[in-house]
Amino acid sequence: MTDHQLSDAELAGQPAAYWTGVAYEALIAYTRERQAEKGYTQPQFWLLRNLSAADISPDGAGMTLPELQQAMASYIRPEDDLAVEAEVLVERGWLRRDADDRLWITEEGEQARLDLKRNAPAIRAALHEGIPDADYVTAVKVLRQLVRNAGGTAA
């Protein structure tokens, strides 16, 4: 499917599922390429975020890989191997593993999380280039309504 030289009426007839899928894949690929250029992966960033009391973790408690997999179930991709990603972070000293095989973020890991987080605004800015905030808000509202119309839950 192509979007070049289609009228508004033709665009209105396009399947939303197709375009949301194309958008999802392109946005994830772009984000992951930018992160790889900085020397980390999206799953590594998610691991740090999920173990940080200053971010997603409510208490900063260590978690096992199955617990982390469950916590990330709504956004982890099938090709993401958390065991491999966590091992890289352990080797870097950003995570540590306790006797119960729970992973904990280290002070170095918390500093790395903060450093990696600083990359997000540039990625967002590049992806949002040429899109006024009002148009973006409208697009999100439309997507949320499509989700509700399909029987899903839109936050």
Side-chain angles (χ1 to χ4, degrees):
M1 222 172 268
T2 179
D3 68 344
H4 66 285
Q5 299 183 21
L6 294 177
S7 69
D8 285 357
E10 290 170 317
L11 286 172
Q14 297 282 302
Y18 170 78
W19 287 110
T20 57
V22 170
Y24 173 77
E25 292 300 328
L27 295 170
I28 292 294
Y30 181 87
T31 299
R32 288 182 175 214
E33 287 166 9
R34 299 298 78 74
Q35 291 172 328
E37 290 169 359
K38 300 288 186 179
Y40 68 100
T41 68
Q42 193 171 47
Q44 289 169 357
F45 185 50
W46 289 336
L47 284 165
L48 294 172
R49 293 192 66 205
N50 275 274
L51 292 167
S52 173
D55 202 331
I56 296 174
S57 174
D59 57 10
M63 297 173 74
T64 64
L65 281 173
E67 290 169 337
L68 286 160
Q69 185 77 38
Q70 179 62 33
M72 297 182 215
S74 67
Y75 50 89
I76 199 84
R77 291 174 57 96
E79 67 269 21
D80 295 337
D81 187 336
L82 289 185
V84 170
E85 301 290 358
E87 193 55 39
V88 170
L89 297 181
V90 169
E91 290 171 9
R92 288 182 183 171
W94 296 358
L95 297 181
R96 68 174 175 81
R97 192 175 271 113
D98 69 15
D100 295 322
D101 214 24
R102 298 178 81 74
L103 293 164
W104 297 80
I105 192 167
T106 64
E107 286 184 34
E108 295 84 358
E110 182 59 28
Q111 185 57 55
R113 183 191 67 79
L114 291 170
D115 292 343
L116 301 178
K117 182 179 176 180
R118 289 186 186 98
N119 296 319
I123 293 170
R124 183 192 187 283
L127 291 172
H128 285 241
E129 186 176 338
I131 303 169
D133 284 347
D135 289 352
Y136 180 76
V137 168
T138 298
V140 172
K141 287 179 178 180
V142 167
L143 290 171
R144 290 175 68 191
Q145 187 61 47
L146 286 168
V147 169
R148 286 189 293 270
N149 290 351
T153 304

